């Protein structure tokens, strides 16, 4: 709630949790390279003189990311809450968008207006994994500003990416804390129990896991050599606020009961459910105890696994247990107090690994959605058929910077997007270095800058557009690198009517393939150096080729042609043969076949494909993306 001086007042247990999460990020008023990058992106993409990554502490706000503030604020990188509009975002837990902060009752008395020059303000919440609002990613104008839906959408997308980065830092610090706890635990148990070494191995092994299946396998490997159970399983609470449990099924099929009883109620008569429900370790000494205290289904499952005794240990969570770790033995196994302590510690490490795996799954899912949202629909261009395909890497913890694009070009005489020439077409394909949220974010930025360069330089050619993007990338310190190919296509005048001419420039990208009627497959191998800050500010070279009616062009990223046991040249040759054999088939069918037969069965990189065909009839319609 705002005080009379405009500062926000925070208190209570919820605030303690929020401040604890802030400390876990490790960010202060000192500049941070990652946060500085987000501030620069906001200033560039939204077009504002001031952009901040503002983290709101109990008595001040700090700016680990900052663009455009004047001294002394640029030096101090912090202000008291009397100068904070971002504290309203934290207090209210939602975006704050003001055309003129001087006209809003909440902010009109804020000292940020006279001292920092804040007038137009748009702030999006930055949150941790528990929903705490840690601060705001904000765009600031020194004049009244009417924020467009596009500007607010871009700011919201960047805030989600920045929040994911903050959460990753929190998880990374927790990993280091887990490692420290493991070392401390080993010192306490050393001399009392040789099995204390298990805790060290668990901290190291589980800290490197990324998926739930890998967490289960790692736990099984850890405990089998020391405690020698015949069965190790993991059961998780199925969603926040739900009264359900879900087993992590062993896909090898060695325990059919897991599939038969994959989901069941938290209130059911299973010892695993009781351990999670009561948040305490449950032991089963023998079958007689199981029959006396639990449901018949639990007895049948116990017998199907060949167990004589078991222990169920809750996985500690922030509010309720995350689930249960269960170990079973084929003979009687007595759990003493030291082993109970050992299992409790192991369950703690397992719980952190489960949380991290769930977080990574959510983070990658968000990044993939952002990446795929940037791949816009293909335009309908008379005389040309277009089709595209995008497939993510098989590894669930990877998200890449692969992209494609196609759009109509403005005419040289008119210029501007509102005067696109229906007979001029730009096509692009590229791969930004990296497999993370940053790569996906930079991909969207480079793609947008390339479009803008074409719009700002009508008739300038693809090399000029790419050079403009490289210039901006270097001067604005955006930091994008990778490969890209950019081409302009236009129909040929008589006597070559029905043909199209393509002019292109290649920044280190794999060569496109061209199939023309009656001719062998041609690889357009002309290229320049890759796209990297400062490498090619002198300009790019252009190349030209005529595309007769019936021609097909294939643009692709290296995820299509990189596979173990096969050279890239061999993979490109195979792609060319398939393209030649299927040149007149539906383009979506051709792209699916290429992805299925040329790429590795489980590709380690994303695949982006873009196909262009000049129909023999001279007219073509868009083929929807695959």
């Amino acid at each position: 709630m705002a005080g009379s001086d405009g500062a926000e007042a925070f208190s209570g247990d919820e605030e303690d949790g929020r401040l604890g999460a802030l400390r876990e990020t490790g960010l202060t008023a000192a500049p941070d390279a990652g946060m500085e990058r987000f501030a620069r992106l906001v200033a560039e993409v939204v077009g504002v003189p001031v952009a901040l990554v503002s983290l709101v502490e109990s008595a001040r706000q700090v700016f680990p990311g900052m663009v455009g503030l004047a001294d002394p604020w640029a030096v101090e990188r912090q202000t008291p809450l009397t100068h904070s509009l971002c504290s309203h975002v934290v207090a209210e837990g939602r975006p704050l968008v003001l055309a003129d902060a001087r006209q809003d009752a909440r902010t009109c008395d804020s000292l940020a207006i006279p001292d920092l020059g804040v007038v137009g303000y748009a702030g999006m919440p930055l949150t941790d994994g528990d929903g705490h609002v840690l601060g705001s990613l904000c765009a600031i104008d020194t004049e009244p500003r009417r924020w467009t839906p596009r500007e607010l959408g871009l700011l919201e997308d960047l805030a989600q990416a920045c929040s994911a980065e903050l959460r990753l830092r929190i998880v990374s610090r927790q990993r280091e804390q887990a490692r420290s706890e493991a070392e401390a635990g080993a010192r306490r148990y050393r001399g009392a129990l040789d099995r204390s070494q298990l805790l060290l191995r668990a901290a190291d092994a589980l800290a490197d896991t990324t998926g739930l299946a890998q967490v289960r396998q790692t736990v099984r490997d850890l405990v089998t050599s020391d405690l020698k159970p015949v069965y190790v399983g993991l059961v998780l609470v199925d969603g926040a606020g739900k009264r359900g449990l879900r087993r992590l099924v062993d896909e090898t099929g060695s325990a059919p009961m897991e599939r038969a009883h994959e989901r069941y109620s938290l209130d059911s008569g299973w010892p695993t459910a009781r351990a999670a429900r009561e948040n305490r370790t449950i032991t089963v000494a023998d079958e007689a105890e199981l029959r006396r205290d639990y449901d018949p289904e639990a007895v049948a499952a116990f017998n199907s696994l060949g167990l004589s005794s078991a222990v169920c240990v809750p996985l500690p969570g922030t509010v309720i247990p995350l689930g249960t770790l269960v170990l079973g033995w084929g003979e009687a196994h007595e759990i003493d107090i030291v082993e109970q302590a050992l299992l409790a510690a192991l369950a703690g490490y397992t719980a952190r690994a489960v949380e991290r795996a769930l977080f990574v799954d959510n983070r990658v899912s968000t990044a993939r959605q952002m990446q795929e949202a940037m791949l816009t629909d293909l335009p309908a261009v008379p005389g040309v058929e277009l089709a595209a395909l995008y497939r993510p890497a098989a590894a669930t913890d990877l998200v890449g910077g692969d992209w494609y694009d196609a759009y109509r070009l403005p005419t040289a005489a008119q210029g501007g997007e509102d005067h696109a020439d229906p007979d001029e077409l730009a096509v692009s394909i590229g791969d930004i270095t990296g497999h993370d949220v940053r790569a996906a974010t930079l991909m969207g930025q480079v793609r947008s800058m390339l479009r803008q360069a074409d719009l700002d330089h009508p008739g300038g050619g693809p090399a000029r557009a790419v050079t403009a993007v490289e210039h901006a990338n270097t001067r604005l310190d955006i930091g994008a690198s990778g490969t890209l190919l950019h081409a302009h296509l236009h129909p040929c005048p008589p006597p070559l009517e029905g043909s199209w001419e393509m002019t292109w420039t290649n920044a280190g990208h794999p060569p496109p393939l061209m199939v023309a009627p009656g001719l062998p497959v041609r690889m357009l191998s002309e290229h320049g150096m890759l796209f990297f800050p400062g490498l090619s500010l002198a300009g790019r070279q252009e190349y030209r080729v005529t595309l007769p009616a019936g021609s097909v062009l294939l643009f692709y990223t290296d995820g299509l042609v990189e596979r173990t046991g096969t050279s890239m040249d061999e993979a490109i040759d195979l792609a060319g043969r398939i393209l030649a054999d299927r040149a007149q088939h539906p383009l979506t069918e051709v792209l699916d076949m290429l992805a299925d037969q040329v790429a590795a069965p489980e590709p380690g990189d994303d695949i982006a494909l873009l196909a262009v065909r000049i129909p023999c009839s001279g007219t073509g319609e868009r083929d929807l993306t695959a």
Side-chain angles (χ1 to χ4, degrees):
M1 173 173 289
S4 60
D5 59 357
E8 302 291 334
F10 305 101
S11 62
D13 294 340
E14 181 69 14
E15 176 62 3
D16 291 340
R18 192 186 73 83
L19 293 175
L22 267 178
R23 289 189 294 271
E24 288 291 323
T25 66
L27 295 171
T28 65
D32 177 85
M35 298 299 106
E36 292 279 329
R37 186 176 296 111
F38 278 109
R40 290 196 301 271
L41 283 172
V42 170
E44 175 65 19
V45 173
V46 182
V48 289
V50 180
L52 303 173
V53 177
S54 171
L55 300 181
V56 179
E57 299 178 353
S58 58
R60 65 173 186 166
Q61 62 178 350
V62 298
F63 311 131
M66 178 189 71
V67 169
L69 280 185
D71 291 335
W73 316 107
V75 175
E76 296 176 356
R77 304 182 71 94
Q78 61 178 300
T79 74
L81 294 186
T82 53
H83 294 66
S84 174
L85 271 64
C86 297
S87 59
H88 291 278
V89 177
V90 174
E92 297 173 12
R94 61 176 180 267
L96 177 63
V97 179
L98 302 173
D100 189 335
R102 300 169 299 186
Q103 306 300 319
D104 191 281
R106 294 168 294 180
T107 59
C108 60
D109 295 329
S110 174
L111 295 180
I113 296 172
D115 291 351
L116 276 70
V118 177
V119 179
Y121 176 90
M124 298 294 170
L126 298 175
T127 59
D128 69 358
D130 295 323
H132 297 120
V133 180
L134 307 183
S136 170
L137 182 66
C138 59
I140 296 171
D141 206 328
T142 56
E143 301 291 337
R145 175 82 170 241
R146 290 197 174 275
W147 306 97
T148 68
R150 178 180 180 276
E151 290 170 340
L152 296 177
L154 289 170
L155 185 60
E156 182 180 13
D157 288 344
L158 289 173
Q160 290 178 358
C162 187
S163 294
E165 176 66 17
L166 293 174
R167 294 168 191 165
L168 183 60
R169 294 187 184 211
I170 292 171
V171 170
S172 297
R173 178 161 291 211
Q174 289 174 344
R175 167 180 172 172
E176 293 303 317
Q177 291 173 348
R179 191 182 298 274
S180 298
E181 291 170 4
E183 293 172 351
R187 288 193 296 270
R188 289 193 302 269
Y189 284 103
R190 189 175 294 116
L193 186 64
D194 290 340
R195 289 172 180 169
S196 62
Q197 297 300 318
L198 174 62
L199 298 179
L200 287 174
R201 296 200 303 275
D204 285 334
L206 289 171
D208 294 329
T209 56
T210 56
L212 292 175
Q214 188 183 6
V215 171
R216 175 179 172 168
Q217 182 63 48
T218 301
V219 172
R220 181 163 53 194
D221 292 344
L222 284 166
V223 301
T224 298
S225 60
D226 289 82
L227 304 180
K228 295 180 172 52
V230 298
Y231 174 75
V232 179
L234 277 177
V235 177
L236 303 182
V237 174
D238 192 14
K242 296 183 179 179
R243 303 291 292 179
L245 294 172
R246 172 175 65 92
R247 298 184 197 277
L248 295 186
V249 176
D250 185 349
E251 296 300 333
T252 65
S254 59
M257 59 79 52
E258 293 181 335
R259 185 70 69 187
H261 302 285
E262 182 176 357
R263 297 181 184 274
Y264 54 104
S265 171
L266 187 62
D267 300 317
S268 61
W270 289 73
T272 47
R274 184 179 177 186
R277 187 171 60 244
E278 300 180 6
N279 195 18
R280 66 185 182 93
T281 298
I282 299 295
T283 59
V284 178
D286 51 36
E287 184 181 338
E289 179 182 350
L290 194 69
R291 290 185 180 278
R292 182 181 68 247
D293 297 336
Y294 300 99
D295 288 351
E297 291 85 355
V299 177
F302 193 84
N303 290 334
S304 72
L305 295 170
L307 303 183
S308 295
S309 58
V311 59
C312 302
V313 188
L315 302 177
T318 54
V319 179
I320 63 173
L322 299 176
T324 304
L325 168 66
V326 54
L327 283 70
W329 291 266
E331 65 283 328
H333 186 91
E334 183 176 352
I335 307 294
D336 60 26
I337 189 169
V338 176
E339 193 164 291
Q340 283 191 35
L342 181 69
L343 289 173
L346 178 61
Y349 299 138
T350 303
R352 301 291 77 75
V354 167
E355 287 180 328
R356 186 168 55 254
L358 293 172
F359 167 75
V360 169
D361 286 347
N362 181 67
R363 176 174 176 265
V364 172
S365 175
T366 299
R368 288 205 188 284
Q369 291 173 16
M370 179 178 68
Q371 183 182 37
E372 292 171 3
M374 295 176 183
L375 302 176
T376 54
D377 291 339
L378 301 177
V381 179
V384 177
E385 294 180 21
L386 297 172
L389 179 146
Y390 171 79
R391 285 190 184 178
T396 57
D397 59 338
L398 296 178
V399 62
D402 293 42
W403 55 279
Y404 62 81
D405 200 5
Y407 50 90
R408 291 178 173 178
L409 286 168
T411 63
Q414 296 171 313
E417 189 174 6
D418 293 337
H419 303 286
D421 188 336
D423 293 332
E424 296 280 345
L425 175 67
V427 295
S428 310
I429 195 158
D431 185 359
I432 297 301
T433 304
H435 295 94
D436 51 23
V437 172
R438 180 175 181 271
T441 303
L442 289 177
M443 175 271 287
Q445 190 172 4
V446 169
R447 181 177 175 275
S448 297
M449 288 194 302
L450 190 56
R451 281 191 169 212
Q452 187 65 46
D454 268 335
L455 295 177
D456 287 345
H457 304 95
R464 182 173 181 180
V466 172
T467 300
V469 172
E470 290 181 297
H471 182 78
N473 184 48
T474 299
R475 290 299 180 91
L476 298 178
D477 195 21
I478 293 170
S481 64
T483 67
L484 67 86
L485 187 149
H486 186 51
H488 291 178
L489 290 87
H490 62 86
C492 297
L496 297 178
E497 188 172 6
S499 300
W500 285 60
E501 182 180 72
M502 182 178 78
T503 305
W504 81 95
T505 189
N506 188 334
H509 198 76
L513 298 174
M514 173 182 170
V515 174
L519 296 175
V521 177
R522 177 180 173 185
M523 186 166 61
L524 305 181
S525 56
E526 297 85 353
H527 70 279
M529 65 184 66
L530 58 77
F531 179 76
F532 193 88
L535 275 188
S536 187
L537 293 182
R540 291 282 177 180
Q541 187 171 352
E542 290 183 349
Y543 311 95
R544 288 178 173 80
V545 66
T546 298
L547 309 175
S551 299
V552 179
L553 278 170
L554 175 68
F555 304 91
Y556 55 92
T557 56
D558 56 12
L560 178 71
V561 294
E562 287 185 344
R563 57 182 299 173
T564 303
T566 302
S567 71
M568 185 176 290
D569 288 341
E570 290 172 331
I572 292 174
D573 288 343
L574 175 58
R577 291 196 299 272
I578 293 174
L579 189 66
D581 292 342
R582 299 278 176 169
Q584 299 310 316
H585 286 238
L587 290 182
T588 52
E589 175 187 309
V590 176
L591 296 186
D592 281 331
M593 181 174 293
L594 286 166
D596 292 339
Q597 296 187 15
V598 179
E602 294 186 357
D605 197 358
D606 293 0
I607 298 171
L609 305 177
L610 179 63
V612 179
R613 179 159 58 201
I614 311 301
C616 293
S617 63
T619 59
E621 295 182 356
R622 179 170 59 116
D623 195 351
L624 295 178
T625 57

